[in-house]
Amino acid sequence: MGFNDEFGQKILDNLKSQVEPKQYETWIAGLNFIEVPPDIITISLPNTFYIEWYKKNYLSLMETSIAETTGKKYAVQFVALPEQSRLFTDDLFPAPASSLKGRREAKQSVRADTSPGGKGAVIKDARERTNSSNKYDFALNPNYVFDRFVVGMCNRLAHAAAMAVAENPGKAYNPLFIHGGVGLGKTHLLQAACHQIITKHPHLSIYYRSGEGFVNDYIAAVKNNAFESFRQQCRSKDILIIDDIHFLGSGGKTASQEEFFHTFNALHNVNKQIVLSSDSPPKEIPTLHERLVSRFNWGMVARFEPPDYETRMAILRKKIDAYKINIEDDIIKVIAESVSTNIRDLEGTLIRLIGLARSSNQNPSLALAHEALKDIIGSVSPNINIITIIDMVANYFNFSSTELQSKSRSKSVSLARQIGCYLARQLKPDLSLEEIGSALGGREHSTVLHSIEKIRKRSQKDAQFKETLKMLTADIKKKSG
Ligand code: ADP
Ligand code: MG
């Protein structure tokens, strides 16, 4: 896959520089990294015995190495794939990995995977895992569990509600609707609920998708004339969990909304649990039909606030523990103070810091922390204010600031306004979406969010556009001193 070609070799090279040559040849050289979007990388191994060994010895090394190489935090998931065993010949499997008993079991379970008559504890375990993974047609990030979710003032209600729902599906709040800005933990919490339901209620079936995933399933069903089986697939489940349901609200998805409406009703009528997340409260989702808005408000609506300082510190400490490294409190404080609006960026800064320290063979220091911050949130001049940003953007497009703040919907004014939103977000990360919206003439926060996304996407595709944004950014910084 694309990911493999682009990054696979780089990850291998990075790992090679970090372990002994013999270790590299034995354990790492033959591995394949498969990306499961958005943020999981799977590595296939012959059986569960290998999986335990890699988890113990290589998991954290691989996670940091992949983060360093790709610049993105992936969860590493090992999966048992019997064909993979030809990559590993027996004499490459060193004895210290385990007792001889473990070694024997490893062999047996490879055989058991191909000959269904086998016996033994490990064999059974391997088969159970395969079965249980077949039961669910979605992948979960193994790190997104309740144990790794830090609870603070900002997310207490949503967390408690998600726990209650996972304990007693269909009996606590129905639906549970969680909303909040980008990178605040919605996906983590929804998947934690999934993990918990799978563990505590293994007999219950789950339909878990993103809003986009639901729409894609729906479109595929229409195309392939497989509508009945799609309906069956959604409506026969015990639990329905949809992440980023606001996707249904943007632009011309009337048919998908209609289908979702009927799915919702079918399940809700028979007390099946429904959990939804969104970037804004139900009534602020653009073009969402009123009857869905009202249904989303039937149960519990819980909002994620941006993380307060204590929660940010607690999250950093927890992640540092997981990486088993030592970082002084002073350094953690600088990060917690600088990244206030987004937990993903908070985590990104920490990973970047660890990467920088590793690649330069130093201990994490304040200087490196500043460098990491620059990489993640850009160098932010404290003097920049939103008025300057609006002025400069208006000026660049030959409008006045007042025009940018007006109700005008002309294409070019709208584009300039969207760029204003985007740059304000980049250059003033401490401002909330509401504050940006009000500086731009009283725009709804969902409109601001939509603008930012739109510009971000375009800048990824259009190099010239990206260059324009860069120039504007530089100008604004220069002007602000
Ligand atoms: P969202 O879906 O709201 O955009 P995510 O769930 O993807 O956000 O979270 C972004 C990152 O921040 C993830 O890596 C997640 O594990 C981490 N994160 C978010 N909230 C918490 C929390 N309360 N405790 C620990 N990690 C968190
Ligand atoms: Mg998400």
Side-chain angles (χ1 to χ4, degrees):
M1 283 193 180
F3 182 87
N4 255 352
D5 306 338
E6 214 181 314
F7 286 115
Q9 193 53 47
K10 283 195 193 149
I11 297 171
L12 289 176
D13 291 344
N14 181 296
L15 286 165
K16 195 173 187 171
S17 69
Q18 310 208 37
V19 300
E20 297 295 318
K22 170 88 175 132
Q23 244 186 341
Y24 178 79
E25 288 309 321
T26 311
W27 297 109
I28 295 172
L31 297 179
N32 245 329
F33 304 89
I34 308 285
E35 187 187 26
V36 182
D39 51 14
I40 302 175
I41 286 180
T42 66
I43 299 174
S44 320
L45 297 169
N47 56 49
T48 52
F49 183 72
Y50 278 82
I51 292 181
E52 290 314 313
W53 161 258
Y54 274 83
K55 270 194 188 157
K56 211 163 93 209
N57 294 285
Y58 290 110
L59 181 59
S60 71
L61 177 69
M62 284 185 176
E63 283 187 340
T64 12
S65 178
I66 288 170
E68 272 174 37
T69 315
T70 61
K72 183 175 159 190
K73 171 82 196 292
Y74 285 95
V76 173
Q77 202 167 29
F78 298 110
V79 293
L81 204 71
E83 305 91 79
Q84 205 65 16
S85 54
R86 69 194 142 72
L87 273 180
F88 298 80
T89 58
D90 201 46
D91 54 330
L92 279 178
F93 198 75
S98 65
S99 63
L100 268 176
K101 177 173 162 279
R103 193 173 156 150
R104 238 183 346 259
E105 280 172 355
K107 278 192 184 171
Q108 274 179 358
S109 101
V110 173
R111 227 181 300 131
D113 278 328
T114 46
S115 70
K119 292 189 191 97
V122 170
I123 301 166
K124 183 156 166 280
D125 183 44
R127 220 181 294 140
E128 269 171 12
R129 279 173 194 240
T130 330
N131 282 345
S132 67
S133 64
N134 284 346
K135 184 174 154 193
Y136 306 102
D137 62 348
F138 50 83
L140 294 179
N141 184 324
N143 293 330
Y144 289 180
V145 289
F146 281 125
D147 270 353
R148 292 197 182 205
F149 190 86
V150 174
V151 184
M153 289 303 288
C154 55
N155 56 26
R156 176 155 297 161
L157 179 65
H159 173 263
M163 288 276 261
V165 158
E167 289 296 320
N168 280 313
K171 303 214 171 64
Y173 317 99
N174 208 9
L176 169 60
F177 188 99
I178 290 167
H179 67 95
V182 181
L184 293 186
K186 300 182 296 294
T187 299
H188 187 142
L189 196 63
L190 255 53
Q191 293 204 5
C194 272
H195 278 295
Q196 185 86 337
I197 292 168
I198 290 172
T199 313
K200 293 237 159 150
H201 309 280
H203 57 287
L204 295 182
S205 54
I206 306 175
Y207 181 86
Y208 168 76
R209 293 287 187 280
S210 63
E212 189 170 5
F214 176 83
V215 171
N216 288 343
D217 280 4
Y218 170 76
I219 293 172
V222 173
K223 241 198 217 145
N224 301 329
N225 245 332
F227 209 64
E228 270 319 305
S229 82
F230 167 70
R231 283 211 166 139
Q232 182 63 17
Q233 187 196 4
C234 302
R235 298 185 195 177
S236 66
K237 295 288 195 286
D238 298 306
I239 319 252
L240 176 79
I241 303 184
I242 310 273
D243 197 3
D244 293 333
I245 189 76
H246 57 261
F247 185 81
L248 282 184
S250 50
K253 305 209 183 72
T254 329
S256 315
Q257 274 194 35
E258 167 102 23
E259 183 56 31
F260 185 75
F261 173 75
H262 294 298
T263 305
F264 184 104
N265 290 343
L267 290 168
H268 197 272
N269 280 340
V270 287
N271 285 330
K272 304 289 188 190
Q273 182 67 49
I274 298 170
V275 185
L276 307 166
S277 85
S278 157
D279 66 357
S280 46
K283 69 171 178 347
E284 287 179 26
I285 300 177
T287 70
L288 188 69
H289 199 287
E290 185 50 42
R291 61 191 186 179
L292 276 175
V293 174
S294 84
R295 273 166 180 74
F296 291 174
N297 280 308
W298 274 355
M300 154 84 88
V301 176
R303 178 192 175 103
F304 271 115
E305 303 293 340
D308 47 279
Y309 180 73
E310 282 72 28
T311 311
R312 301 203 296 274
M313 283 298 283
I315 288 173
L316 287 172
R317 291 208 174 100
K318 186 145 193 158
K319 310 250 169 203
I320 288 168
D321 273 356
Y323 280 112
K324 299 194 180 64
I325 50 166
N326 202 5
I327 302 184
E328 312 250 331
D329 245 25
D330 282 358
I331 300 174
I332 307 174
K333 280 182 189 153
V334 167
I335 299 177
E337 274 156 19
S338 313
V339 188
S340 58
T341 49
N342 180 321
I343 298 176
R344 185 175 297 134
D345 286 350
L346 194 66
E347 193 176 17
T349 309
L350 179 67
I351 292 167
R352 187 81 193 111
L353 169 63
I354 297 173
L356 286 170
R358 266 221 184 134
S359 56
S360 61
N361 259 331
Q362 303 173 39
N363 286 323
S365 64
L366 270 182
L368 287 179
H370 281 293
E371 207 176 318
L373 279 165
K374 236 191 313 185
D375 289 344
I376 303 285
I377 56 177
S379 58
V380 177
S381 154
N383 298 326
I384 292 180
N385 67 49
I386 183 131
I387 307 294
T388 319
I389 297 174
I390 296 173
D391 279 352
M392 301 281 290
V393 173
N395 203 4
Y396 183 89
F397 289 96
N398 282 323
F399 297 123
S400 67
S401 312
T402 339
E403 274 172 293
L404 238 59
Q405 292 159 329
S406 74
K407 296 248 174 298
S408 163
R409 285 169 175 260
S410 97
K411 238 182 172 169
S412 48
V413 176
S414 296
L415 177 66
R417 196 181 288 133
Q418 286 165 350
I419 293 179
C421 291
Y422 175 84
L423 292 177
R425 189 61 164 178
Q426 295 286 306
L427 296 167
K428 294 284 299 169
D430 51 321
L431 288 184
S432 67
L433 296 173
E434 283 83 2
E435 286 168 317
I436 296 173
S438 81
L440 277 156
R443 254 84 209 169
E444 294 275 331
H445 101 283
S446 52
T447 313
V448 175
L449 197 65
H450 178 69
S451 306
I452 295 170
E453 270 302 290
K454 204 163 166 184
I455 300 298
R456 192 181 58 77
K457 283 198 179 129
R458 178 156 169 200
S459 77
Q460 281 171 346
K461 283 191 212 130
D462 178 345
Q464 201 179 347
F465 185 71
K466 191 172 176 179
E467 226 17 67
T468 307
L469 293 179
K470 233 176 163 173
M471 259 166 48
L472 259 167
T473 307
D475 278 356
I476 293 168
K477 280 186 182 162
K478 208 152 74 197
K479 174 117 181 186
S480 312

